[in-house]
Amino acid sequence: MVWNGFGGDEMKCSLLYDSRNDGDEILISYIIPLFNTERYVLEAIESISCASGKDIEIIVVDDGSTDNSANIVLDWMRNALLPCVLIKQPNSGPSAARMFGISYARGEYIGFCDSDDFINVAAFKKAISIAKSYECDVIFLRSVVFDSVTGESYDFYDTYWWDHILKDRGFAVVTATSAPAVFRLEPNANTRLLKRSFIEKERLSFPVGLDFFEDFTFHVAELAAAKIFMYDKTGYYYRVNRSGKLTEQKSAKRFDMLKSVDLAFKEASSRNVDLLGWSYIICIASRVMYWCGQNTLVKDRKRFFELATELIQKNVSKELYDTCMDTFIDKQERVLLSALKVGAVNFLVTHASEGRIRAIDTLPLMLSKDYGKASRDVVVKIFLFKVKSIFLYKKQ
């Protein structure tokens, strides 16, 4: 088959397997981009199938794998009891794989799963049974991080914000206006379900051409428009600490995050996100850009932070900056946003490299009348702490 993709580009894709029947009533279409995960992919698809009937379909889009992943999936699908599809596309990245999977999906809801993770489908189906009465567009469940080496599990990175929004409730129905802190939920597309009609209506898409961090743009666009159901159950298990995991490698691909953030800012602007919502977007964007800066190649780190500061300076007004500072962000985020706003590139590079910060590198922060207060407050507290420590030491 030939798929007329984004920007008018044509992509030759092969339909390797399709066990669906025209009369199947599909509740959820799970789309799995596949690339060289032969050791883990069976666990991913079996986690979906174990609690599923014929109302769930699995669509695997092989993104040009060079290992035995596609053959493993094909052998499994031939014996599966639920509807399955396997498509092969030339290596084009996860965004293209997801979008092609969406175009092929028949489900009322769309879900995503990385081919090395796994899902609690029963929890998502329970959430749907409640969320339908509220006519929600997007359904969120909590996630857990799973260490592939030790077998240990621990809370996902957005646990604080879940607790902040739910306030001990079993579920909540919110929007970006009523609870703008939803933008601080982890921008991972796998942690949620979306109504297929909502995706089509809002023309949501993952930016094709990005190998990493394509979720951030999608995250901002969907939440800006959605009625959201948050269900206080664990639905997704995110694997870390495995060999070959692309998002755990230092590489020039970290620059993709800057492109994704830029596109997310454009989405927020076009979808009329209010000032408070913008403040939460800016705070999480600053944090994820800094994290990517830490994990880019050393030779590229200065250029990365130069581009990051340009993004913040272009998109953050004085009013928005002040709103961010008044919003609940921690001490580190206050200094980080200040550094990005004043263009303290050397400070950011040294801090991200865990080097010894020179006094001269802090000058743009310390001397800024409009954006340096947060940094000065931190430095004063550190200075007072050191003086107190010296005083106590002398008393002993």
Side-chain angles (χ1 to χ4, degrees), residues 21 30 33 38 75 89 96 111 116 130 151 168 210 231 249 320 355 357 361:
N21 299 311
Y30 275 108
E38 60 184 5
D75 288 343
Q89 71 176 30
D116 57 344
I130 305 171
D168 297 322
L210 300 183
Y231 189 47
Q249 299 173 3
L320 179 52
I357 296 174
D361 294 334

Side-chain angles (χ1 to χ4, degrees), residues 153 275 338 370:
S153 297
L275 187 65
S338 298
D370 291 330

Side-chain angles (χ1 to χ4, degrees), residues 252 255 296-304:
F255 281 79
T296 196
L297 300 171
V298 174
K299 68 181 181 66
D300 295 331
R301 201 160 288 163
K302 184 172 182 179
R303 178 58 179 158
F304 182 95

